Amino acid sequence: MLWTIASSRRSVAVANWPSSAPASAPTVRPSRPSVSVAPPMPSPSRSGLLGLFLFRLIVGGILGVHGFQHLAQRDLTLRAVQALPLPSGYAQAGVWVLGICECIAAVCIILGLFTRVAGAGIIAIMVLTLTFIFWGSFAIFKTMGFKGELELLLAACGVLLLFLGAGGWSIDAAYRRSRAAAKAEEVGD
């Protein structure tokens, strides 16, 4: 038999089911499930924040130089892009798009603005570069060293930025903190 006891604050279901407990001791269960609150995430140490910030500066700097070289040396980039199976006329625009996208992603990474999106963009650009330009003939060991190693490293850095984000010293983190403060103020009112 199941009874529900309603009070002004909550309703409690009282059940007297056959069990190993004595029949005179009813079991009290809340009518709604209990809410478990996850413990707050530990704040990263200053050295971790500094490390991620320096990582962003280095990756953004390398990517910015890479993008600027594509824009400054358009003829070399155009020869590489013309080897792609693109319709005629798209190669010249592809050079501009590639260089501008790399420079925008570099600025975003350095500032810590839309870092996860920029990381996904780096992954896309570098995987396409490796697939169609460097490894198209699957002769990755044709020269001394590993052909496309910079692009592979930048793709791995993009994966890291996609999963970790910008860290605490970024515009993204400042925006998250301001939203949390506004939400806490709204709840407090």
Side-chain angles (χ1 to χ4, degrees):
M1 182 178 281
L2 179 68
W3 294 282
T4 302
I5 302 170
S7 70
S8 62
R9 293 189 182 171
R10 64 179 176 184
S11 63
V12 177
V14 179
N16 192 2
W17 299 97
S19 65
S20 61
S24 62
T27 306
V28 177
R29 296 182 192 152
S31 64
R32 57 185 171 162
S34 64
V35 177
S36 63
V37 178
M41 292 187 60
S43 61
S45 65
R46 290 202 187 273
S47 62
L49 293 174
L50 177 65
L52 192 54
F53 175 70
L54 292 175
F55 175 77
R56 280 191 2 247
L57 287 180
I58 292 168
V59 170
I62 291 171
L63 190 66
V65 169
H66 199 253
F68 181 74
Q69 285 176 343
H70 285 302
L71 293 174
Q73 301 171 353
R74 287 185 303 278
D75 54 338
L76 295 174
T77 308
L78 182 61
R79 277 190 253 150
V81 172
Q82 284 175 338
L84 298 176
L86 293 173
S88 63
Y90 284 102
Q92 185 68 29
V95 171
W96 282 101
V97 169
L98 176 67
I100 291 171
C101 285
E102 284 184 344
C103 289
I104 289 172
V107 170
C108 285
I109 288 170
I110 289 172
L111 295 177
L113 179 65
F114 306 119
T115 308
R116 293 178 192 266
V117 175
I122 292 174
I123 295 167
I125 291 170
M126 295 306 150
V127 166
L128 290 172
T129 302
L130 287 168
T131 303
F132 291 112
I133 294 176
F134 287 108
W135 297 349
S137 62
F138 292 105
I140 58 176
F141 298 108
K142 188 185 285 185
T143 61
M144 179 66 175
F146 187 79
K147 192 172 181 186
E149 57 196 3
L150 173 65
E151 287 75 13
L152 186 62
L153 183 62
L154 284 174
C157 292
V159 170
L160 184 71
L161 289 171
L162 177 67
F163 287 117
L164 286 182
W169 296 351
S170 65
I171 294 175
D172 286 343
Y175 179 69
R176 279 192 311 273
R177 284 190 296 267
S178 69
R179 281 185 57 201
K183 188 178 279 188
E185 182 179 300
E186 181 180 297
V187 171
D189 288 340

